[in-house]
Short mmCIF file of all heavy atoms in Angstrom, two decimals:
data_model
loop_
_atom_site.label_atom_id
_atom_site.label_comp_id
_atom_site.label_asym_id
_atom_site.label_seq_id
_atom_site.Cartn_x
_atom_site.Cartn_y
_atom_site.Cartn_z
N LEU A 306 123.81 100.44 83.61
CA LEU A 306 124.30 101.17 84.77
C LEU A 306 123.14 101.85 85.47
O LEU A 306 122.15 102.22 84.85
CB LEU A 306 125.31 102.23 84.34
CG LEU A 306 126.60 101.68 83.71
CD1 LEU A 306 127.44 102.83 83.21
CD2 LEU A 306 127.38 100.86 84.71
N PHE A 307 123.31 102.01 86.76
CA PHE A 307 122.32 102.75 87.53
C PHE A 307 122.99 104.05 87.95
O PHE A 307 124.02 104.05 88.60
CB PHE A 307 121.92 101.93 88.75
CG PHE A 307 121.01 102.67 89.69
CD1 PHE A 307 119.75 103.04 89.26
CD2 PHE A 307 121.41 103.01 90.96
CE1 PHE A 307 118.89 103.71 90.10
CE2 PHE A 307 120.56 103.69 91.80
CZ PHE A 307 119.30 104.04 91.37
N HIS A 308 122.41 105.18 87.53
CA HIS A 308 123.02 106.47 87.80
C HIS A 308 122.31 107.14 88.96
O HIS A 308 121.10 107.31 88.94
CB HIS A 308 122.88 107.38 86.57
CG HIS A 308 123.59 106.84 85.37
ND1 HIS A 308 124.93 106.99 85.17
CD2 HIS A 308 123.14 106.11 84.32
CE1 HIS A 308 125.27 106.41 84.03
NE2 HIS A 308 124.20 105.86 83.50
N GLN A 309 123.07 107.52 89.94
CA GLN A 309 122.47 108.29 91.03
C GLN A 309 123.57 109.15 91.64
O GLN A 309 124.51 108.66 92.22
CB GLN A 309 121.87 107.37 92.10
CG GLN A 309 121.20 108.16 93.21
CD GLN A 309 120.38 107.28 94.12
OE1 GLN A 309 120.64 106.10 94.22
NE2 GLN A 309 119.40 107.85 94.79
N GLY A 310 123.42 110.44 91.43
CA GLY A 310 124.39 111.36 92.00
C GLY A 310 125.81 111.05 91.60
O GLY A 310 126.74 111.17 92.38
N GLY A 311 125.98 110.63 90.34
CA GLY A 311 127.33 110.38 89.85
C GLY A 311 127.85 108.98 90.16
O GLY A 311 128.90 108.60 89.68
N ARG A 312 127.12 108.22 90.97
CA ARG A 312 127.57 106.86 91.27
C ARG A 312 126.91 105.89 90.31
O ARG A 312 125.75 106.01 89.98
CB ARG A 312 127.16 106.46 92.70
CG ARG A 312 127.95 107.07 93.80
CD ARG A 312 127.81 106.25 95.08
NE ARG A 312 126.48 105.68 95.22
CZ ARG A 312 125.48 106.30 95.80
NH1 ARG A 312 125.63 107.53 96.24
NH2 ARG A 312 124.30 105.71 95.93
N ASN A 313 127.67 104.90 89.89
CA ASN A 313 127.10 103.85 89.05
C ASN A 313 127.13 102.55 89.83
O ASN A 313 128.10 102.24 90.50
CB ASN A 313 127.93 103.66 87.78
CG ASN A 313 127.86 104.88 86.89
OD1 ASN A 313 126.93 105.65 86.99
ND2 ASN A 313 128.86 105.07 86.05
N SER A 314 126.07 101.79 89.73
CA SER A 314 126.11 100.45 90.32
C SER A 314 125.47 99.49 89.35
O SER A 314 124.65 99.87 88.53
CB SER A 314 125.39 100.43 91.66
OG SER A 314 124.05 100.80 91.49
N THR A 315 125.86 98.24 89.41
CA THR A 315 125.35 97.29 88.42
C THR A 315 123.88 97.01 88.66
O THR A 315 123.37 97.19 89.74
CB THR A 315 126.13 95.97 88.48
OG1 THR A 315 126.07 95.51 89.82
CG2 THR A 315 127.56 96.17 88.05
N PHE A 316 123.27 96.54 87.62
CA PHE A 316 121.82 96.36 87.60
C PHE A 316 121.55 94.93 87.16
O PHE A 316 122.17 94.44 86.22
CB PHE A 316 121.27 97.38 86.61
CG PHE A 316 119.92 97.08 86.08
CD1 PHE A 316 118.82 97.18 86.89
CD2 PHE A 316 119.75 96.73 84.75
CE1 PHE A 316 117.57 96.93 86.39
CE2 PHE A 316 118.50 96.48 84.24
CZ PHE A 316 117.41 96.58 85.07
N LEU A 317 120.69 94.24 87.88
CA LEU A 317 120.46 92.82 87.62
C LEU A 317 119.17 92.60 86.85
O LEU A 317 118.18 93.25 87.12
CB LEU A 317 120.36 92.07 88.95
CG LEU A 317 121.51 92.29 89.93
CD1 LEU A 317 121.17 91.67 91.27
CD2 LEU A 317 122.78 91.66 89.37
N SER A 318 119.20 91.71 85.92
CA SER A 318 117.95 91.32 85.26
C SER A 318 118.11 89.90 84.74
O SER A 318 119.21 89.40 84.62
CB SER A 318 117.63 92.26 84.10
OG SER A 318 118.42 91.94 82.99
N HIS A 319 117.01 89.27 84.44
CA HIS A 319 117.12 88.02 83.69
C HIS A 319 115.95 87.89 82.75
O HIS A 319 114.85 88.30 83.03
CB HIS A 319 117.24 86.80 84.62
CG HIS A 319 116.02 86.49 85.39
ND1 HIS A 319 115.72 87.12 86.59
CD2 HIS A 319 115.00 85.62 85.16
CE1 HIS A 319 114.58 86.64 87.05
NE2 HIS A 319 114.12 85.73 86.22
N SER A 320 116.26 87.35 81.58
CA SER A 320 115.24 87.21 80.56
C SER A 320 114.71 85.78 80.59
O SER A 320 115.47 84.84 80.75
CB SER A 320 115.84 87.50 79.18
OG SER A 320 114.85 87.48 78.21
N ILE A 321 113.41 85.66 80.46
CA ILE A 321 112.80 84.33 80.58
C ILE A 321 112.72 83.63 79.23
O ILE A 321 112.87 82.43 79.13
CB ILE A 321 111.41 84.46 81.23
CG1 ILE A 321 111.60 84.91 82.69
CG2 ILE A 321 110.63 83.18 81.17
CD1 ILE A 321 110.34 85.20 83.41
N SER A 322 112.45 84.39 78.17
CA SER A 322 112.36 83.71 76.87
C SER A 322 113.31 84.37 75.88
O SER A 322 113.60 85.55 75.97
CB SER A 322 110.93 83.77 76.35
OG SER A 322 110.55 85.10 76.14
N ASN A 323 113.76 83.58 74.94
CA ASN A 323 114.75 84.08 73.97
C ASN A 323 114.02 84.67 72.76
O ASN A 323 113.26 83.99 72.09
CB ASN A 323 115.64 82.91 73.54
CG ASN A 323 116.67 83.34 72.51
OD1 ASN A 323 116.87 84.54 72.31
ND2 ASN A 323 117.30 82.38 71.87
N GLN A 324 114.27 85.94 72.50
CA GLN A 324 113.58 86.62 71.40
C GLN A 324 114.46 86.74 70.15
O GLN A 324 114.12 87.44 69.22
CB GLN A 324 113.17 88.03 71.85
CG GLN A 324 112.23 88.07 73.04
CD GLN A 324 110.83 87.68 72.65
OE1 GLN A 324 110.45 87.78 71.50
NE2 GLN A 324 110.05 87.24 73.61
N ALA A 325 115.61 86.07 70.16
CA ALA A 325 116.59 86.31 69.11
C ALA A 325 116.08 86.00 67.72
O ALA A 325 116.54 86.56 66.73
CB ALA A 325 117.85 85.49 69.40
N ASN A 326 115.12 85.08 67.60
CA ASN A 326 114.67 84.68 66.28
C ASN A 326 113.60 85.61 65.72
O ASN A 326 113.11 85.41 64.63
CB ASN A 326 114.13 83.23 66.32
CG ASN A 326 112.99 83.11 67.32
OD1 ASN A 326 112.79 83.99 68.14
ND2 ASN A 326 112.25 82.01 67.24
N VAL A 327 113.21 86.61 66.47
CA VAL A 327 112.20 87.55 65.97
C VAL A 327 112.90 88.72 65.32
O VAL A 327 113.89 89.22 65.84
CB VAL A 327 111.32 88.05 67.15
CG1 VAL A 327 110.21 88.95 66.64
CG2 VAL A 327 110.74 86.87 67.92
N HIS A 328 112.38 89.15 64.19
CA HIS A 328 113.02 90.26 63.50
C HIS A 328 113.00 91.50 64.38
O HIS A 328 111.95 92.00 64.76
CB HIS A 328 112.29 90.55 62.18
CG HIS A 328 113.05 91.48 61.29
ND1 HIS A 328 112.85 92.83 61.30
CD2 HIS A 328 114.05 91.26 60.40
CE1 HIS A 328 113.68 93.42 60.43
NE2 HIS A 328 114.40 92.46 59.88
N GLN A 329 114.20 92.02 64.71
CA GLN A 329 114.26 93.00 65.78
C GLN A 329 113.54 94.30 65.47
O GLN A 329 113.02 94.95 66.36
CB GLN A 329 115.72 93.29 66.13
CG GLN A 329 116.39 92.11 66.80
CD GLN A 329 117.64 92.51 67.56
OE1 GLN A 329 118.04 93.66 67.51
NE2 GLN A 329 118.24 91.57 68.25
N SER A 330 113.50 94.69 64.20
CA SER A 330 112.89 95.98 63.90
C SER A 330 111.38 95.97 64.12
O SER A 330 110.75 97.01 64.20
CB SER A 330 113.19 96.38 62.45
OG SER A 330 112.54 95.49 61.57
N LEU A 331 110.80 94.76 64.20
CA LEU A 331 109.36 94.67 64.33
C LEU A 331 108.88 94.65 65.77
O LEU A 331 107.70 94.73 66.03
CB LEU A 331 108.85 93.40 63.63
CG LEU A 331 109.05 93.34 62.13
CD1 LEU A 331 108.54 92.02 61.60
CD2 LEU A 331 108.35 94.50 61.45
N ILE A 332 109.81 94.49 66.71
CA ILE A 332 109.34 94.36 68.08
C ILE A 332 109.94 95.44 68.97
O ILE A 332 110.93 96.08 68.64
CB ILE A 332 109.64 92.96 68.65
CG1 ILE A 332 111.15 92.74 68.81
CG2 ILE A 332 109.04 91.87 67.80
CD1 ILE A 332 111.47 91.46 69.55
N SER A 333 109.30 95.61 70.07
CA SER A 333 109.69 96.66 71.01
C SER A 333 111.08 96.40 71.57
O SER A 333 111.49 95.26 71.80
CB SER A 333 108.68 96.69 72.16
OG SER A 333 109.21 97.39 73.25
N SER A 334 111.80 97.48 71.83
CA SER A 334 113.12 97.34 72.45
C SER A 334 113.01 96.67 73.82
O SER A 334 113.97 96.08 74.31
CB SER A 334 113.78 98.70 72.59
OG SER A 334 112.95 99.58 73.30
N TRP A 335 111.82 96.74 74.43
CA TRP A 335 111.64 96.10 75.74
C TRP A 335 111.61 94.58 75.63
O TRP A 335 111.77 93.89 76.64
CB TRP A 335 110.35 96.60 76.40
CG TRP A 335 110.46 98.04 76.75
CD1 TRP A 335 109.94 99.10 76.06
CD2 TRP A 335 111.19 98.61 77.84
NE1 TRP A 335 110.29 100.29 76.66
CE2 TRP A 335 111.06 100.01 77.76
CE3 TRP A 335 111.94 98.06 78.88
CZ2 TRP A 335 111.65 100.87 78.68
CZ3 TRP A 335 112.52 98.92 79.80
CH2 TRP A 335 112.38 100.30 79.69
N LEU A 336 111.41 94.05 74.42
CA LEU A 336 111.35 92.59 74.26
C LEU A 336 112.68 92.00 73.82
O LEU A 336 112.82 90.78 73.77
CB LEU A 336 110.27 92.21 73.25
CG LEU A 336 108.84 92.62 73.60
CD1 LEU A 336 107.88 92.09 72.55
CD2 LEU A 336 108.45 92.12 74.97
N ILE A 337 113.65 92.85 73.50
CA ILE A 337 114.91 92.30 73.00
C ILE A 337 116.07 92.61 73.93
O ILE A 337 117.22 92.57 73.55
CB ILE A 337 115.23 92.84 71.58
CG1 ILE A 337 115.24 94.36 71.53
CG2 ILE A 337 114.26 92.28 70.56
CD1 ILE A 337 115.67 94.94 70.19
N THR A 338 115.75 92.91 75.17
CA THR A 338 116.80 93.17 76.15
C THR A 338 117.60 91.90 76.38
O THR A 338 117.04 90.89 76.80
CB THR A 338 116.19 93.63 77.48
OG1 THR A 338 115.40 94.79 77.22
CG2 THR A 338 117.25 93.96 78.48
N ASP A 339 118.90 91.95 76.11
CA ASP A 339 119.76 90.81 76.37
C ASP A 339 120.51 91.08 77.67
O ASP A 339 121.34 91.98 77.73
CB ASP A 339 120.74 90.63 75.22
CG ASP A 339 121.64 89.42 75.42
OD1 ASP A 339 121.66 88.89 76.56
OD2 ASP A 339 122.33 89.03 74.47
#
Side-chain angles (χ1 to χ4, degrees):
L306 296 174
F307 174 65
H308 298 278
Q309 182 169 24
R312 286 200 325 272
N313 294 337
S314 60
T315 54
F316 160 70
L317 307 171
S318 78
H319 68 276
S320 185
I321 292 175
S322 63
N323 179 13
Q324 300 285 338
N326 58 345
V327 184
H328 192 267
Q329 291 199 356
S330 66
L331 296 178
I332 67 172
S333 163
S334 56
W335 293 101
L336 299 184
I337 55 175
T338 303
D339 181 347

